[in-house]
Amino acid sequence: MRTVLIVLFDGVQSLDVTGPLEVFAGAETYRAGSYRIGTASLDGAPVRSSSGLVLAPDRALADAPDAHTLLVPGGSGTRRPDPHLIGWLRAHGPRAERLLSVCTGAGLLAAAGLLDGRRATTHWAYCDELARDHPAVTVDPDPIYVRDGHVATSAGVTSGIDLALALVEDDLGRDAALTVARHLVVFLRRPGNQAQFSAQLAAQTARREPLREIQHWISEHPGDDLSVESLAARARLSPRHFARAFRTETGTTPGRYVERVRLEHARRLLEDTTDGIEEISRACGYGTPEAMRRAFLKILGSAPAEYRRRFRPARAG
């Protein structure tokens, strides 16, 4: 049985706690004897979450046994953490076989020196701050979670569920993780290196109507000719003017935006349909399966067939 200990403190983000907790609890229901889950605060007293919800811990941290999996959530309470909490993490974090954080919980691990020399992530809004305050940590702002040895850090809120599902899959197998995901009505789809934002969210929405229309057109027609020249003609701008204006207003180049949109569309087709790789590569504008394979390897680190095997939900019947 793997013990899972979740650290509580005033100002904790309640979903950072309950999301992963429900995943591990669901896995315990699926296979009894897999996890023993507990919560603890510094003094064992109830804590008030950032939303006002009061959470009652099982015990004080001083009374908690060493955990197999130690999870540190985020929330506004990480802004000025109690030094005693940092001290406890510094002393007990290295004893855990797995050390996890959700959202700004990475800041607490970093303050305790537990991320030094490691690659980590956190909520996109706090990546720059984490990198500035802890230069010994290599902060990657893009993925929804990062695993570096026995330490794993995740981005905002729901990414804690993704990370917990990945760990359940490691521990109990894919069927267990899929069963938990279905009961929680979430999809076991997101690999850790998936970006925190979709292409549409990652890029700013253009101010000018022609460029906003182009963004929408790209998303709706990933298989069309999306060269700069073609898009510029649709926007009634010269290619040079279009490329410069698009980057200024969206924060990314037309080529990078098209690349992200096509990849997301291909991922959805791999996950939701039985269409062949060649058919999907044409529908998404890659032209050939090899071109789509190169794009997947570059961005996701896995080939389309492997991606489909790992992230397509099982179909009933």
Side-chain angles (χ1 to χ4, degrees):
M1 178 176 286
R2 300 167 179 85
T3 56
V4 178
L5 179 64
I6 302 176
V7 177
L8 302 183
F9 48 86
D10 282 325
V12 71
Q13 162 61 259
S14 58
L15 282 177
D16 288 2
V17 175
T18 58
L21 187 152
E22 291 292 347
V23 171
F24 290 118
E28 170 62 18
T29 300
Y30 174 86
R31 187 176 300 169
S34 297
Y35 299 102
R36 180 184 292 117
I37 309 159
T39 58
S41 65
L42 266 177
D43 56 3
V47 302
R48 185 173 295 277
S49 72
S50 57
S51 64
L53 180 68
V54 175
L55 303 174
D58 297 312
R59 57 180 62 87
L61 284 172
D63 299 328
D66 289 340
H68 173 277
T69 300
L70 178 61
L71 188 150
V72 180
S76 60
T78 64
R79 305 297 294 171
R80 295 181 178 83
D82 189 316
H84 294 95
L85 176 58
I86 300 302
W88 187 92
L89 289 173
R90 185 178 292 112
H92 291 81
R95 302 179 189 177
E97 292 189 37
R98 287 194 304 220
L99 186 58
L100 317 177
S101 70
V102 183
C103 198
T104 54
L108 299 182
L109 295 186
L114 299 171
L115 297 183
D116 288 357
R118 295 187 181 278
R119 179 170 163 259
T121 194
T122 186
H123 189 288
W124 61 269
Y126 299 99
C127 284
D128 289 345
E129 180 180 317
L130 182 64
R132 183 187 68 243
D133 293 345
H134 303 281
V137 182
T138 301
V139 179
D140 189 339
D142 199 37
I144 58 172
Y145 62 82
V146 169
R147 301 172 72 173
D148 188 335
H150 75 289
V151 179
T153 53
S154 59
V157 188
T158 58
S159 60
I161 295 176
D162 294 297
L163 175 57
L165 285 169
L167 297 176
V168 167
E169 183 174 0
D170 286 351
D171 296 341
L172 306 181
R174 178 169 171 77
D175 288 345
L178 279 170
T179 298
V180 174
R182 284 197 291 268
H183 278 292
L184 295 178
V185 199
V186 297
F187 295 108
L188 184 69
R189 295 184 174 188
R190 302 203 296 175
N193 56 358
Q194 181 175 321
Q196 293 191 32
F197 290 129
S198 67
Q200 291 80 3
L201 289 177
Q204 304 167 35
T205 300
R207 294 188 302 273
R208 284 185 279 178
E209 186 64 30
L211 296 182
R212 287 201 301 272
E213 290 179 357
I214 291 300
Q215 286 180 288
H216 181 71
W217 170 265
I218 292 171
S219 299
E220 295 295 321
H221 301 84
D224 284 18
D225 176 8
L226 300 180
S227 64
V228 168
E229 290 75 18
S230 176
L231 295 175
R234 180 169 290 277
R236 298 181 181 178
L237 299 170
S238 71
R240 178 177 294 183
H241 185 191
F242 169 77
R244 184 170 60 248
F246 191 95
R247 180 163 190 168
T248 297
E249 296 205 15
T250 67
T252 189
T253 65
R256 179 65 61 84
Y257 189 81
V258 167
E259 180 181 55
R260 292 282 295 273
V261 167
R262 282 178 166 160
L263 184 77
E264 289 172 13
H265 190 61
R267 283 182 46 248
R268 286 194 294 271
L269 292 179
L270 288 169
E271 294 165 0
D272 296 335
T273 75
T274 58
D275 295 349
I277 301 295
E278 185 170 355
E279 183 179 357
I280 291 174
S281 67
R282 290 197 303 269
C284 297
Y286 289 111
T288 67
E290 178 58 27
M292 186 168 80
R293 180 177 179 275
R294 288 196 301 269
F296 267 66
L297 289 173
K298 173 186 174 184
I299 300 175
L300 296 180
S302 65
E306 172 65 11
Y307 181 90
R308 168 173 270 173
R309 186 189 71 79
R310 285 186 55 80
F311 300 108
R312 184 179 180 222
R315 295 293 191 242

